[in-house]
Amino acid sequence: MTVRKIIIDTDPGQDDAVAILLALASPEEVEVLGITAVAGNVPLALTERNARIVCELAGRPDIKVFAGCDAPLGRKLVTAEHVHGKTGLDGPQMDDPTMPLQAEHGVDFIINALRTEAPNTVTLCPLGPLTNIATAFQKAPDIIEKVQEIVLMGGAYFEVGNITPAAEFNIFVDPEAAAVVFGCGRPITVMPLDVTHKALTTAPHVQGFRDMGTKVGEMVAAWTDFFERFDKEKYGSAGAPLHDPCVIAYLIRPDLFSGRHINVEIETQSDLTRGMTVADWWRVTKRAPNATFMGDVDADGFFALLTERLARL
Ligand code: BDR
Ligand code: CA
């Protein structure tokens, strides 16, 4: 397997944090060119801070972390402290990071990286609202054709919504940005709630993280404990979905996931269904396919991979 160059665009978030750790633990498969923070789960000042905390936790203060957009393209920011806590990484006690934030804007980093690297060699991995990616595409349309693939967490079809009855959080926060990305013409792979709600943590998984006997294992277990409480109460499930690590797991083990290459459009007009991912799963329209929309995951394989990789850190 060739090593994929990736840019992680993220709004940490406990599940974003686990995704970043998984990527940094997997150098045989992915090379992290940089991490761009975006406003989402919590405001930008916290997401860029949290991204640096996670890099330091992984022993990688050399990773370049950039602050990107602090608000959606044309709407007021909606955040998710009710899920992730006040800091976005509530759970364990964490010190402020000491590694620097890069001076360059996250959007400019994305543009420059895509212009510098060979065409078709950089995969974008958005784990939050798509504001940074859409802004980069609008500011520098020449970079779009250079993108190898966009593998993102967002949307839902059978699960419909989590922040509203009709929409998943990442797409709901900035539907106009999502519409730009889904319309960009490059290969897109989507990890919707339909997949992530099949990758639920269990008590043995969390114990497995703790049993690593490492700081990373302890932190991931504590984050999971915190993160789970919301979903357990809401869904009555035994655990919580680890949404964002599905994106990185796909890059490492695509065989764990299955889905359909279909048309996916984003609702931007309706207040009622704002941010809905209108996925033509049953192929009832003639609209051209623009995304591989995943529908299933081998959850045991996913957690085995996650545990094996996190234990390396
Ligand atoms: C998505 O929203 C955020 O709360 C999570 O980090 C994930 O990216 C799930 O809807
Ligand atoms: Ca996220």
Side-chain angles (χ1 to χ4, degrees), residues 11 15-16 41 84 127 153 162 168-170 193 243-244:
D11 62 337
D15 61 322
D16 302 71
N41 285 323
H84 300 275
L127 310 177
M153 191 280 136
N162 60 357
E168 180 280 329
F169 178 79
N170 290 341
L193 297 180
H243 307 281
D244 294 337

Side-chain angles (χ1 to χ4, degrees), residues 2-299:
T2 49
V3 180
R4 274 220 213 191
K5 292 179 181 172
I6 67 170
I7 295 174
I8 301 178
D9 186 65
T10 177
D11 62 337
Q14 292 89 349
D15 61 322
D16 302 71
V18 178
I20 294 168
L21 292 174
L22 178 59
L24 295 179
S26 304
E28 301 94 336
E29 291 91 2
V30 294
E31 176 190 348
V32 181
L33 296 180
I35 296 178
T36 51
V38 69
N41 285 323
V42 285
L44 182 67
L46 287 168
T47 59
E48 61 86 350
R49 166 188 178 269
N50 293 347
R52 288 184 290 138
I53 286 176
V54 176
C55 291
E56 287 186 353
L57 174 64
R60 294 296 305 276
D62 56 303
I63 297 288
K64 291 189 165 69
V65 175
F66 303 82
C69 298
D70 63 1
L73 295 187
R75 296 179 188 257
K76 213 168 154 292
L77 178 66
V78 175
T79 53
E81 285 88 355
H82 60 295
V83 182
H84 300 275
K86 216 164 173 277
T87 65
L89 282 186
D90 275 19
Q93 180 59 42
M94 284 166 322
D95 296 330
D96 279 333
T98 57
M99 66 182 271
L101 179 68
Q102 299 297 308
E104 192 180 17
H105 193 282
V107 167
D108 293 326
F109 168 72
I110 293 169
I111 293 170
N112 290 331
L114 281 161
R115 283 180 177 162
T116 310
E117 299 290 337
N120 274 305
T121 61
V122 177
T123 295
L124 302 177
C125 299
L127 310 177
L130 289 155
T131 321
N132 285 345
I133 310 296
T135 305
F137 287 179
Q138 287 181 331
K139 196 170 169 191
D142 59 288
I143 64 171
I144 297 174
E145 64 178 25
K146 303 196 161 159
V147 173
Q148 180 180 10
E149 186 178 357
I150 300 165
V151 184
L152 66 90
M153 191 280 136
Y157 180 65
F158 295 98
E159 284 281 337
V160 198
N162 60 357
I163 186 76
T164 73
E168 180 280 329
F169 178 79
N170 290 341
I171 308 296
F172 175 81
V173 172
D174 200 345
E176 284 75 21
V180 168
V181 171
F182 278 80
C184 79
R186 298 304 299 154
I188 299 177
T189 297
V190 184
M191 293 294 162
L193 297 180
D194 308 327
V195 166
T196 67
H197 282 196
K198 290 176 182 147
L200 298 183
T201 53
T202 61
H205 293 143
V206 180
Q207 193 55 45
F209 298 143
R210 271 217 170 84
D211 288 347
M212 287 173 191
T214 62
K215 188 152 184 219
V216 166
E218 190 50 47
M219 295 291 256
V220 171
W223 282 332
T224 313
D225 281 343
F226 182 87
F227 185 64
E228 275 183 352
R229 91 214 177 286
F230 177 80
D231 288 272
K232 281 178 171 170
E233 197 174 309
K234 180 175 169 192
Y235 296 107
S237 52
L242 268 184
H243 307 281
D244 294 337
C246 289
V247 165
I248 307 298
Y250 172 76
L251 301 178
I252 303 168
R253 288 277 313 276
D255 57 299
L256 293 175
F257 300 87
S258 60
R260 294 183 179 189
H261 190 230
I262 57 169
N263 178 269
V264 181
E265 302 293 332
I266 310 298
E267 174 58 55
T268 58
Q269 302 301 311
S270 157
D271 284 340
L272 190 62
T273 57
R274 158 185 170 183
M276 188 171 197
T277 42
V278 182
D280 191 4
W281 183 263
W282 300 112
R283 299 191 174 109
V284 293
T285 75
K286 292 201 181 340
R287 292 195 283 262
N290 59 346
T292 300
F293 200 83
M294 292 301 178
D296 212 348
V297 56
D298 168 355

